Each structure stands twice: as structure tokens, then as C-alpha cells.
């Protein structure tokens, strides 16, 4: 269902302009950058989760032929500026450091940086480092970290509590939860640790020229301007002498939004050594030491009336921040709490959120960093509906925010508008044939088979709550031949921004798509911007393009009006011709206006500036809300505990779509990450903090054989921003985990079995089924 | 150092190499064919897949010296020299079978090999054949469609 009125380009599934180079091996990722004189880096990493470095001798490593330098904390740390990201410069966080100094705080923490002629020799040198670490008791899970007698992850701090925020319980809610409500449902849900896994690992080439004092870097990054600022700070180089470039980036999903410890350390080392250094992370490093995510626990309570209507909610949320969380404070707990009631009407809500340091890999952003609110809420909805004897779809219908309820202010204070949760709920239910499936489920049960259906309904906030997350600048330049180059601070890592933003510009200027080229991923040729992440590009960069095009269009029309002796108000731009509305024969070609603006300036109107260019900065409202409903059906094999996904449906409202093909591609990628995260992917530590899933043989990313065909429905409720777009890049990964969980829980409920944590491995499900079988009747 | 000689995308390549240098590193660093990507270096992700005497192999798991005398085709050798897309490459574009593009060379090479062996694979055969290539962006939706399209064209 698509009610959109598509434009010439906006709204069309235009084939991607970046594809030909990527399909033919002509993409340029960071490891493809080969500068003359490059030296190669490798890190020696801790194999102990917490301990003192008793001995560290790098003499033998330094003597190996082909080794240029072996750097320890003593060599680098005293020269390092702050390592906090720009967003969080004023917020106290974990004490970040380039290399471990005196002690180690998680397995994988960098201790030594080797610089050598090639990576093979660098790894040889790592073998020659003489190191002894006295292991000490490590804290691996948040519950242990917050015990009064827990050892400190960071001895510089006074506790392992990294963050605590409470939204106080109003007396009316307390009364309901103390027994005043007709139904009080309580559950605790645990989401397990998993990670982003971009197919391209992290990497940097840092080229420092001591003569000019300039540092030129190529990185795998989502955010060149943030990288530039962060590198300038750590390396002590004025920011205008730092340039960060990235042409093609092999995925990020949040991991490459902030500049992490290793890239900062290599940039600092390049500055100290005055050389060109390359560091390309290997997969083991990426799995154990880049960032992890999703390790959350939520104790939930719903107060519900006799008709199944929500009266109030409480969430006590605890997240595992790891040792050195990316983004300093560890995750997005406050948003988890603020958004817990999501797309449902609830008069009252309160929460507490805490983050605990542990001796594990950093927590970092992963596609919807606050998405535990949806996991906890949607799993809670099904549990609550089941407990009061109501179908989960019916429960949602009674509680969902409808069109007539808008704008709707959440009990925590944020206001939802331009959303359609009720419509997407109904569309998803219809597409998946909810009622038909219920009948099929009963027939299958009669044959002894366990089928289940699950829904995941959510609202997704995007754009910038904090500077500089909400702002992007577009520079639209028309060359003397009429073709257009657009410079954006974005950095595409799969989103197809070179295509979607070209669609917006071609639409706005009335010219051909082939005549627009997007330049991004280079801090030297684009204005300061927010990068690509947080589902922000369509709204923020899209509207920056739109506003810059309006400036260009006005200039072009002003020139054309002068040339034709017409009024600017009577002119329009259609198919690269500026013509008098209603009289298409009275026209001047777009390229002719561009030529005159640059090359025949005597013909310009009096006072008109030479050239044809516009720059605009768009500042987004604090929130643009999109929403979606996922519906999933599964069969759980009672004998093996294996889950097979039968159907997967997404009904999404991201406002006006720029490119439906790309929108559906983004949804699909997110959904499959969520399926993987719920069923297969699990980053496991043993009790001492040793990682056990350090290869793709152990950390299981979904393959073609596990994923279903995904079916889509679209509802279009334009946002209040000029293009009517809304963010949607993260949503697929937000809705899918609870939809899959709820489908499995629904199947298990047929025989009275329950689950309260992920991953839903065959072992977990067999244990849940066995527990029921063993229980007395 | 060992002398190695092989044909890569139709061109004779000679080098003196450390015995431990992988075929992938030889292709990327010595032949400067950076389309072959390294996603795991332990033989699971398939991003480094190339054709070795017509068979799809993982270039991260082979030493370059093991390919001495062989005929190697990388992603750069799949399409036309003028940049024209092969039917497989074009189908990936038409069906949005790629996003970040990092795994894409491995898929293009694997699918090219698959369709030579089995020009009309069923959906199950496609999924089975590609289960050794990881993609993190697309959820495989456009990839499976692309193979079906390429097989039909």
C-alpha cells in the first residue's frame, strides 16, 4: 500500500549510482589506499580481563628486522589529548587511554603498538614482546559489578556505576503497582550481548607530514568530521591541518560513528613518528575489541485495568557498559526509559536506568542503541496479554495510539505526532493474515506441531537531540556546463546516499539525475556536518539539499527572468529548461543560464553575483518520529528446539520515501540483523572474562539459508519537515528482535512453556520445553 | 622467497614472494587488484572469493605459491574491460543486491561460478550455494532475487 505521489525522482526506485564501481571491484575502502612509504601496525592485546602488568619488555620485538617502532603506554599516553567524542566532551566517563598503562581492564585491551614494514612482520614482532600480567578477579556481568564488594573496573573512580537516571514514580502509579490496579504483571527480560559485525573491519591510514604539520587520514568511518575533530584533539594538531577521507565504507551500523581508541592511537602514533601508518583490524580484533551492544536487563511492571487498558508502567533497566564504552557513558539508557511506553497510551510511567562498568569489551552504538525499550515493552505486552487472557493483537488494538489521539504526549514528556502506529498494526496484521494464522496454528497443534506468531510495534525517534547530531550543511555548486556537484558532510556506508541525495537535488532543480554528483566523506571539501548515523540522512541532509537548491533555483530564475524580460514569479524549471509557466516555448536552457552565470557575466542582472551556487544548513527538530509494525510467524521444532521463520512482514511509515527500493533494503538488513541477534548471534565470555566467540565459526551471523523472504507494506504520513521524510535506517533492527521472540514465546505458550531471555538457541528452547514437561500437572 | 607465476584476469604476473603470503594479499598488494576483499581471513565470510582455474576458492586460505601456474579471475575480470557489467553484476544492481559493497565481489564471483555449473538453480539451490558468503547489509533479499534474475536472463 503506497499512497505516495511520487515525483520525477523522489519516490522512484532509482538504481543506485554507486553500484557500478562496487560491482566491478573499483570501490575504494580504507585498505585499498596505498600511500608510498606506508608502515603497517598491529596491536598486542591483553589476554587477561583484569590484572596488573608485571613485566613488559619490548627489546626483542624492536630488534626484529623490518620493525620500525614498538610503542608502549610510556611512549604514547603522555602525548595524548582527550579521547572523548565531541558530543560528550563535557561529560565525565570512563578514563580513556591509548594503550593500557600498568593494568588491563578487558581481554582485547591494546597494550603495545608495533609498526613494521608489513603486517606479517608486525605480527611476528608481537610474538617477541615479553609480557606478564598478574590476573586479578574480574567483574564480567553488571549484577556483580554493582555489588558493594566488587573490585573497581576503573581504580580512578569510586564505583562501577557509570550512569544512573531515574524518572520518579508518581504516587498514583505507586498505588496502582502496590495493588491498586486490577491486573499487575511483572516480568524480567534479559537481552544478550551481541555486536555490529560490519563486513569491513575498522581501519585507518594516517599520513603525517612533519614539514607541513598536516595529518591526512583515510578511515573506515561514518563520520569524517567527528573523526577530524577527535584526531585533532588526541594528536594535538590544529583541526584545519587534519583531513579525513573515506570513499567507500564497508558497513558500520553505529560502530564507526564515533572514532574509537585504535584509530585515535594510530593517528597519534603517526604524528609522533612522522610517518604514514596503516592499521587494518582483523576479524578477531573486531569481534573482541571494537564494541559490543545490547547487553541489557529490564525488570518491567504493567498496571492494567479490567478491559486490558494500560494504567501505568515501570521499568528498571540495567545495561552493561563494558570497560571503555564508546560514547563515554555507555549506551542510551535514558532513551530506553523515556520511550518505554512507545506507541501505547499509558497515563503514567516511571523508570530507573543504570549502566555498569564491567571488565568486558566496550558497549557502543548498534543500529537503534536504545532499542531495548522496544524489546522489553513488546515482550512485556505479549506476556501481559497472555496473563490476562487476551490475544496480544487485541491488547495492542485497545492500547495503541490512534490518529485521533495525536499529538500524544508520553507520560515521560515527549510528544508523538505525524505517526501511524494503529495503521501499521492493522496493515501488518492484514498482510500476515493474523486471524488465518491463528486457525492454522490450532490445526498444526492438533498434529503436535508448535507454530507461533509475534508482533513488534514501535516508534522510532531520529534526528538530533544533541549538537551536532541534528545539523547538516549542503553546498550545491552548478558548474559552467550546468552539471551540479553537491558536497555533504555525510559518509555513506551502504545507504546509497550518492543516489538518494542526487534524487532530491535533481527533483528540486528540475534537472536530470545524471547531471548531479554527490561528494561526501571528505572533511576538506565538505562543510562541518553530522556524518551518517541515527537514521538522520533523509531528514537532515535531504532538507539541507532542498534548502540549498532553493537558493540556486532562485538565482537561476532571477538570471533567466532577466534574459527573457519576464517576471521571476512567472517562471518554472522543467526538464532542465527555465520557462514561462503556461508558455513552454518561452524558455532558456538550464545549462545556458549556468554558462552565462560563469562565463558571460556582462549579461547577468545588475547586482547579481557571478556563479551559481547555494549553501544551506538544516537544523532538524529534536525528534522526527517514524513507526512500524513487524509480524513474524515461526515453527518451533519440539524435538530439536530449532526455530524456522515461516513469514516475515513489515509495515512501515517513514513518511515520504525518497527511494522505496533503498527503504526496503534498509528494512531488510535491519530485520535480518535482529533475527540473527535473537536466534544465533551471541558474544560469550567465560566467568573469567575470556571471550569464547572470536571467529565466524563461533559467532554466527545469519546466512542465506536462515533468512525468510521479507514482505513490506508502506503507510505514508509525512513529517512536518519540508520533504516530509522520516528516519528509518535503524528501525528494522528495532522491531525484529521482539517480533521473533514473541513468535517463539507464542509457540511455546501452546504447551505452557515460557522464555524470558535471548538468544533463543535450540538448547534454550529445549530446556524451556523440558521444564514444562517436567513440571507437575 | 619463492618465484611465482600465474595468469590473473588474462595477464601474466610474476613475483618473488614469501612462502607465507596469501593469494589474497598477492592479488591486492602485488597485482594491485583491490576488488578482492578480506572480511575474516579465516575462510568463513567469502568476501575474498576468486576463480582459480574456474573454481570458486577463498583467496585468504591459499598461499600465493599454491596458485603457481594457475589461471585466476578476480572481480575485476568478471565484467567487460570498458566497465560494462556482466549479467550477474547487472542483476545485482537491478535487484538492490548490494549496499555497502564490501562483500559484493565475493558474491559476484561465487554467483558467476554457480551459474556456470548450474544455469537454472532453484531458490533452495541458490540459498545453499551462497551460504558460504556473508552479507551484513541486505538481509540477502536482493541477492537471492539477483541470482534468480541472472539465471533467467
Amino acid at each position: 500500500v503506497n499512497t505516495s505521489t511520487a515525483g520525477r525522482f523522489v519516490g522512484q526506485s532509482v538504481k543506485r549510482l554507486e553500484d557500478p564501481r562496487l560491482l566491478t571491484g573499483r570501490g575504494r575502502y580504507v585498505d585499498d589506499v596505498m600511500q608510498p612509504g606506508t608502515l603497517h601496525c598491529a596491536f598486542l592485546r591483553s589476554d587477561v580481563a583484569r590484572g596488573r602488568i608485571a613485566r613488559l619488555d619490548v627489546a626483542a620485538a624492536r630488534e626484529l628486522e623490518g620493525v620500525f617502532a614498538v610503542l608502549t603506554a610510556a611512549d604514547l599516553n603522555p602525548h595524548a589529548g582527550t579521547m572523548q567524542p565531541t558530543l560528550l566532551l563535557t561529560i565525565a566517563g570512563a578514563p580513556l587511554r591509548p594503550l593500557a598503562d600498568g593494568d588491563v581492564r578487558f581481554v582485547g585491551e591494546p597494550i603495545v603498538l608495533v609498526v613494521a614494514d608489513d603486517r606479517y612482520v608486525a605480527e611476528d614482532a608481537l610474538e617477541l614482546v615479553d609480557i606478564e600480567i598478574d590476573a586479578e578477579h574480574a567483574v564480567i556481568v553488571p549484577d556483580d559489578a554493582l555489588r558493594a564488594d566488587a573490585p573497581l573496573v576503573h581504580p580512578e573512580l569510586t564505583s562501577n556505576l557509570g550512569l544512573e537516571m531515574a524518572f520518579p514514580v508518581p504516587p498514583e502509579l505507586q498505588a496502582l503497582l502496590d495493588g491498586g490496579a486490577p491486573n499487575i504483571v511483572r516480568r524480567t527480560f534479559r537481552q544478550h550481548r551481541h555486536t555490529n559485525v560490519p563486513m569491513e573491519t575498522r581501519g585507518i591510514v594516517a599520513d603525517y607530514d612533519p614539514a607541513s604539520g598536516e595529518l591526512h587520514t583515510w578511515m573506515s568511518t561514518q563520520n569524517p568530521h567527528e573523526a577530524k575533530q577527535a584526531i585533532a584533539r588526541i594528536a594535538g594538531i590544529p583541526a584545519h591541518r587534519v583531513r579525513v577521507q573515506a570513499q567507500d565504507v564497508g558497513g558500520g551500523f553505529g560502530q564507526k560513528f564515533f572514532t574509537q581508541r585504535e584509530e585515535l592511537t594510530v593517528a597519534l602514533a603517526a604524528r609522533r613518528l612522522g610517518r604514514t601508518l596503516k592499521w587494518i583490524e582483523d576479524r578477531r580484533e573486531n569481534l573482541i575489541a571494537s564494541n559490543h551492544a545490547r547487553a541489557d536487563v529490564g525488570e518491567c511492571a504493567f498496571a492494567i485495568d479490567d478491559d486490558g487498558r494500560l494504567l501505568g508502567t515501570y521499568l528498571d533497566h540495567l545495561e552493561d557498559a563494558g570497560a571503555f564504552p564508546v560514547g563515554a557513558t555507555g549506551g542510551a539508557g535514558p532513551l530506553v526509559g523515556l520511550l518505554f511506553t512507545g506507541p501505547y497510551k499509558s497515563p503514567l510511567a516511571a523508570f530507573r536506568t543504570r549502566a555498569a562498568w564491567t571488565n568486558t569489551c566496550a558497549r557502543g552504538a548498534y543500529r537503534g542503541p536504545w532499542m531495548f525499550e522496544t524489546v522489553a515493552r513488546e515482550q512485556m505486552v505479549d506476556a501481559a496479554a497472555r496473563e490476562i487472557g487476551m490475544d496480544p493483537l487485541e491488547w495492542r488494538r485497545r492500547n495503541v495510539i490512534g490518529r485521533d489521539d495525536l499529538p500524544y504526549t508520553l507520560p515521560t514528556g515527549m510528544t508523538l505526532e505525524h505517526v501511524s502506529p494503529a495503521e501499521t498494526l492493522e496493515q501488518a496484521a492484514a498482510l500476515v493474515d493474523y486471524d488465518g494464522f491463528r486457525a492454522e496454528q490450532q490445526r498444526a497443534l492438533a498434529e503436535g506441531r508448535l507454530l507461533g506468531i509475534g508482533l513488534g510495534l514501535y516508534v522510532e525517534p531520529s534526528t538530533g537531540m544533541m549538537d551536532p547530531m541534528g545539523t547538516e550543511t549542503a553546498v550545491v555548486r552548478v558548474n559552467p556546463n550546468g552539471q551540479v556537484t553537491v558536497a555533504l558532510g555525510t559518509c555513506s556506508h551502504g545507504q546509497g546516499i550518492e543516489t538518494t541525495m542526487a534524487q532530491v537535488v535533481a527533483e528540486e532543480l528540475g534537472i536530470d539525475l545524471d547531471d548531479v554528483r554527490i561528494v561526501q566523506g571528505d572533511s576538506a571539501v565538505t562543510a562541518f556536518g553530522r556524518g551518517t548515523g541515527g537514521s538522520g540522512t533523509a531528514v537532515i541532509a535531504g532538507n539541507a539539499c532542498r534548502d540549498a537548491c532553493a537558493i540556486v533555483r532562485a538565482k537561476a530564475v532571477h538570471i533567466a527572468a532577466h534574459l527573457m524580460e519576464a517576471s521571476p514569479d512567472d517562471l518554472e524549471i522543467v526538464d532542465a529548461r527555465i520557462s514561462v509557466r503556461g508558455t513552454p516555448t518561452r524558455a532558456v536552457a538550464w545549462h545556458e543560464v549556468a554558462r552565462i552565470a560563469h562565463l558571460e557575466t556582462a549579461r547577468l542582472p545588475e547586482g547579481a553575483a557571478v556563479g551559481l551556487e547555494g549553501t544551506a544548513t538544516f537544523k532538524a527538530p529534536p525528534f522526527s518520529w517514524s513507526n512500524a509494525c513487524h509480524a513474524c510467524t515461526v515453527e518451533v521444532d519440539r524435538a530439536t528446539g530449532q526455530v524456522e521463520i515461516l513469514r516475515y512482514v513489515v509495515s512501515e511509515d517513514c513518511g515520504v520515501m525518497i527511494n522505496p527500493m533503498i527503504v526496503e533494503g534498509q528494512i531488510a538488513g535491519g530485520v535480518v540483523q535482529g533475527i540473527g541477534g535473537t536466534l544465533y548471534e551471541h558474544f560469550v565470555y567465560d566467568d573469567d572474562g575470556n571471550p569464547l566467540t572470536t571467529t565466524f565459526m563461533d559467532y554466527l551471523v545469519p546466512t542465506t539459508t536462515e533468512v525468510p523472504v521479507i514482505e513490506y507494506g508502506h503507510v505514508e504520513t509525512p513529517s512536518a519537515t519540508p520533504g516530509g521524510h522520516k528516519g528509518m535506517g535503524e528501525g528494522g533492527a528495532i522491531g525484529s528482535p521482539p517480533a521473533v521472540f514473541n513468535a517463539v514465546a507464542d509457540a511455546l505458550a501452546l504447551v505452557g512453556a515460557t522464555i524470558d531471555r535471548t538468544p533463543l538457541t535450540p538448547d534454550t528452547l529445549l530446556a524451556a520445553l523440558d521444564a514444562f514437561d517436567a513440571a507437575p500437572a | 622467497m619463492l618465484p611465482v607465476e600465474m595468469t590473473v584476469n588474462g595477464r601474466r604476473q610474476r613475483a618473488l614472494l614469501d612462502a607465507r603470503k596469501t593469494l589474497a594479499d598477492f592479488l591486492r598488494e602485488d597485482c594491485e587488484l583491490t576488488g578482492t576483499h578480506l572480511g575474516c581471513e579465516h575462510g568463513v565470510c567469502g568476501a575474498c572469493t576468486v576463480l582459480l582455474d574456474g573454481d570458486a576458492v577463498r583467496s585468504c586460505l591459499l598461499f600465493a605459491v599454491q596458485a603457481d601456474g594457475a589461471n585466476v579471475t578476480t572481480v575485476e575480470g568478471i565484467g567487460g574491460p570498458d566497465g560494462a557489467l556482466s549479467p550477474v553484476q547487472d542483476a545485482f544492481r537491478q535487484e538492490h543486491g548490494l549496499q555497502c559493497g564490501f562483500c559484493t565481489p565475493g558474491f559476484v564471483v561465487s554467483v558467476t561460478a554457480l551459474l556456470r555449473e548450474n544455469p537454472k538453480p532453484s531458490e533452495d539451490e541458490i540459498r545453499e550455494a551462497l551460504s558460504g558468503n556473508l552479507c551484513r547489509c541486505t538481509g540477502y533479499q536482493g541477492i537471492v532475487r539477483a541470482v534468480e534474475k541472472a539465471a533467467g536472463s
Side-chain angles (χ1 to χ4, degrees):
Chain A
V1 183
N2 187 354
T3 57
S4 173
T5 40
R8 282 168 73 231
F9 300 111
V10 169
Q12 304 295 340
S13 289
V14 169
K15 303 309 172 204
R16 299 200 325 168
L17 305 176
E18 41 278 87
D19 284 357
R21 72 167 185 269
L22 300 177
L23 282 160
T24 54
R26 270 82 169 178
R28 197 176 196 227
Y29 300 85
V30 62
D31 196 20
D32 305 338
V33 174
M34 299 192 184
Q35 289 291 99
T38 298
L39 297 166
H40 298 261
C41 297
F43 286 99
L44 178 75
R45 295 177 181 276
S46 177
D47 55 7
V48 169
R50 181 168 174 271
R52 303 295 312 171
I53 300 175
R55 189 175 69 249
L56 178 59
D57 182 351
V58 298
R62 281 185 175 139
E63 282 163 20
L64 182 68
E65 189 184 339
V67 169
F68 183 83
V70 180
L71 304 173
T72 66
D75 301 311
L76 282 182
N77 293 18
H79 305 288
T82 179
M83 296 171 70
Q84 302 283 47
T86 306
L87 192 65
L88 300 166
L89 279 174
T90 58
I91 295 174
L96 305 174
R97 53 191 186 179
L99 295 170
D101 186 6
D103 69 342
V104 293
R105 301 181 188 181
F106 72 99
V107 172
E109 176 162 22
I111 304 170
V112 173
L113 177 65
V114 171
V115 179
D117 287 342
D118 65 41
R119 172 82 184 206
Y120 292 77
V121 174
E123 292 192 20
D124 289 342
L126 296 182
E127 300 287 326
L128 297 175
V129 174
D130 182 16
I131 186 165
E132 188 178 317
I133 301 173
D134 293 336
E136 298 171 321
H137 179 72
V139 288
I140 306 306
V141 294
D143 293 334
D144 290 343
L146 295 183
R147 292 213 171 97
D149 61 347
L152 291 173
V153 172
H154 299 298
E156 303 90 338
L157 306 178
T158 54
S159 87
N160 290 327
L161 186 63
L163 174 147
E164 177 162 18
M165 177 187 162
F167 192 96
V169 183
E172 314 92 284
L173 178 58
Q174 193 64 56
L176 288 167
L177 294 173
D178 285 345
N183 300 286
I184 302 162
V185 182
R186 295 180 191 276
R187 292 286 187 282
T188 297
F189 292 111
R190 292 174 182 273
Q191 188 175 31
H192 65 290
R193 178 185 287 260
H194 44 292
T195 180
N196 307 43
V197 194
M199 290 314 300
E200 182 197 29
T201 56
R202 296 176 297 159
I204 181 171
V205 174
D207 177 357
Y208 184 69
D209 173 9
S212 66
E214 299 200 344
L215 180 63
H216 190 166
T217 73
W218 293 261
M219 286 176 66
S220 187
T221 179
Q222 298 174 222
N223 199 342
H225 288 281
E226 169 60 24
K228 170 182 142 176
Q229 298 293 118
I231 286 170
R233 284 191 294 264
I234 190 172
I237 302 171
H240 67 300
R241 297 194 188 282
V242 177
R243 179 178 185 183
V244 176
Q245 270 185 282
Q247 180 180 296
D248 294 305
V249 175
F253 317 112
Q255 184 167 93
K256 300 168 183 173
F257 194 78
F258 298 109
T259 307
Q260 294 199 38
R261 177 179 190 163
E262 286 85 348
E263 294 97 314
L264 293 173
T265 300
V266 170
L268 174 63
R271 161 79 180 83
R272 300 302 305 170
L273 297 173
R275 295 296 300 259
T276 304
L277 305 187
K278 178 186 255 192
W279 172 69
I280 303 298
E281 184 181 50
D282 70 23
R283 183 54 62 184
R284 177 175 177 275
E285 293 180 285
N286 185 262
L287 285 169
I288 71 170
S290 58
N291 71 274
H292 294 164
R294 304 288 198 255
D296 297 85
V297 184
E299 295 179 29
C300 318
F302 275 13
I304 300 170
D305 76 8
D306 288 323
D307 296 324
R309 290 195 170 80
L310 201 52
L311 300 172
T313 69
Y314 185 76
L315 172 69
D316 191 0
H317 170 237
L318 174 59
E319 69 177 19
D320 188 339
F324 298 101
V326 183
T329 54
L335 259 183
V336 173
L338 291 165
L339 284 171
F340 181 57
T341 60
Y344 304 110
K345 288 174 277 190
S346 180
L348 298 166
F351 67 86
R352 176 175 71 155
T353 182
R354 293 174 299 160
W357 315 121
T358 58
N359 291 114
T360 63
C361 177
R363 187 188 185 98
Y366 178 31
R367 211 166 194 171
W370 61 91
M371 55 79 78
F372 187 69
E373 49 80 30
T374 290
V375 167
R377 177 191 62 249
E378 290 304 299
Q379 294 175 186
M380 190 64 190
V381 163
D382 275 39
R386 209 170 286 124
E387 186 161 318
I388 66 169
M390 186 179 286
D391 187 275
L393 174 60
E394 177 58 25
W395 192 97
R396 286 180 173 85
R397 283 175 170 152
R398 290 190 189 197
N399 287 282
V400 70
I401 295 166
R403 191 139 286 188
D404 295 342
D405 301 312
L406 297 173
Y408 184 87
T409 299
L410 303 181
T412 46
M414 289 188 279
T415 299
L416 300 181
E417 44 190 339
H418 313 294
V419 292
S420 58
E423 289 83 348
T424 53
L425 175 67
E426 292 305 332
Q427 190 182 62
L431 285 170
V432 80
D433 186 17
Y434 193 92
D435 295 338
F437 181 84
R438 284 289 182 216
E440 182 189 342
Q441 183 182 34
Q442 288 305 316
R443 288 193 297 274
L445 182 61
E447 300 164 8
R449 294 164 55 213
L450 301 181
L451 271 54
I453 187 164
L455 299 170
L457 184 67
Y458 64 90
V459 288
E460 177 187 356
S462 65
T463 81
M465 290 153 280
M466 300 168 76
D467 287 330
M469 286 285 289
T471 306
E472 190 63 77
T473 298
V475 181
V476 174
R477 291 198 174 106
V478 186
N479 73 26
N481 297 329
Q483 294 106 0
V484 178
T485 304
V486 182
L488 285 171
T490 54
C491 199
S492 194
H493 44 289
Q495 294 84 353
I497 291 171
E498 290 173 47
T499 305
T500 54
M501 292 302 110
Q503 289 178 256
V504 170
V505 169
E507 185 81 44
E508 291 296 312
L509 294 181
I511 62 176
D512 200 74
L513 192 63
D514 284 343
D515 287 335
V516 183
R517 168 98 170 88
I518 304 295
V519 175
Q520 58 176 346
D522 186 345
S523 68
V525 303
T526 63
F528 179 75
R530 66 185 295 282
T532 296
S535 304
T537 300
V539 173
I540 307 173
N543 282 320
C545 286
R546 198 168 268 105
D547 289 350
C549 286
I551 296 168
V552 171
R553 203 172 50 223
K555 285 184 182 174
V557 166
H558 180 56
I559 296 167
H562 177 70
L563 295 172
M564 290 189 281
E565 295 178 349
S567 164
D569 297 339
D570 295 338
L571 301 187
E572 62 182 358
I573 311 179
V574 178
D575 293 337
R577 288 164 61 81
I578 305 176
S579 56
V580 176
R581 202 173 283 107
T583 316
T585 49
R586 266 193 83 197
V588 55
W590 169 265
H591 68 82
E592 179 66 3
V593 171
R595 190 184 64 76
I596 289 166
H598 292 90
L599 303 176
E600 220 174 316
T601 57
R603 292 177 66 191
L604 290 175
E606 195 177 333
V610 171
L612 192 50
E613 142 169 7
T615 297
T617 300
F618 184 79
K619 172 85 177 81
F623 293 102
S624 293
W625 300 95
S626 59
N627 59 275
C629 184
H630 293 217
C632 172
T633 63
V634 299
E635 175 159 6
V636 178
D637 187 315
R638 211 169 172 167
T640 65
Q642 202 80 36
V643 176
E644 184 189 357
I645 296 179
L646 304 173
R647 285 186 67 195
Y648 203 100
V649 165
V650 180
S651 168
E652 168 126 12
D653 185 348
C654 63
V656 175
M657 290 188 282
I658 298 171
N659 185 320
M661 176 190 83
I662 286 177
V663 166
E664 292 183 355
Q666 290 291 309
I667 295 170
V671 165
V672 170
Q673 285 179 336
I675 290 171
T678 307
L679 299 179
Y680 312 114
E681 298 176 38
H682 187 191
F683 194 90
V684 184
Y685 284 107
D686 72 9
D687 292 343
D688 297 322
N690 297 305
L692 303 181
T693 47
T694 61
T695 74
F696 281 155
M697 297 298 283
D698 315 296
Y699 188 90
L700 302 178
V701 171
T703 75
T704 39
T705 49
E706 284 89 37
V707 305
V709 171
I710 299 167
E711 302 161 63
Y712 312 91
H714 297 288
V715 175
E716 183 183 301
T717 312
S719 70
T721 62
H725 317 306
K726 301 190 265 191
M728 54 72 53
E730 294 158 291
I734 296 171
S736 50
V740 174
F741 180 98
N742 283 341
V744 173
D746 187 59
L748 264 53
L750 295 169
V751 291
T754 60
I755 45 176
D756 64 359
R757 64 194 63 199
T758 51
L760 302 178
T761 60
D763 283 352
T764 315
L765 298 186
L766 285 177
L769 288 163
D770 288 348
F772 166 73
D773 286 341
Chain B
M1 298 288 241
L2 296 169
V4 176
E5 184 178 326
M6 67 184 89
T7 304
V8 181
N9 299 336
R11 196 171 163 213
R12 186 68 53 89
Q13 299 278 355
R14 292 190 188 86
L16 269 178
L17 298 177
D18 272 340
R20 64 178 176 174
K21 186 157 208 170
T22 64
L23 177 59
D25 284 347
F26 170 72
L27 293 169
R28 291 180 49 80
E29 295 169 4
D30 297 79
C31 304
E32 298 185 348
L33 293 167
T34 56
T36 297
H37 295 158
L38 290 163
C40 73
E41 295 175 275
H42 53 261
V44 179
C45 82
C48 67
T49 304
V50 300
L51 298 179
L52 185 77
D53 293 331
D55 294 330
V57 300
R58 279 152 208 249
S59 60
C60 76
L61 292 186
L62 284 168
F63 295 116
V65 294
Q66 291 175 279
D68 190 38
N71 196 337
V72 175
T73 304
T74 69
V75 68
E76 289 94 338
I78 297 286
D82 58 348
L85 302 181
S86 75
V88 169
Q89 290 166 326
D90 187 55
F92 269 70
R93 185 174 190 221
Q94 297 302 323
E95 295 297 332
H96 195 27
L98 68 157
Q99 289 182 23
C100 82
F102 195 79
C103 71
T104 307
F107 272 97
V108 165
V109 172
S110 296
V111 172
T112 301
L114 166 69
L115 295 182
R116 279 182 194 163
E117 282 174 29
N118 181 1
K120 296 287 170 196
S122 67
E123 186 189 331
D124 283 349
E125 287 172 335
I126 292 169
R127 288 179 180 272
E128 194 60 40
L130 295 184
S131 64
N133 288 73
L134 299 181
C135 169
R136 193 59 164 167
C137 293
T138 65
Y140 305 105
Q141 306 292 307
I143 292 175
V144 173
R145 289 197 307 266
V147 182
E148 288 171 338
K149 187 182 195 87
S153 66

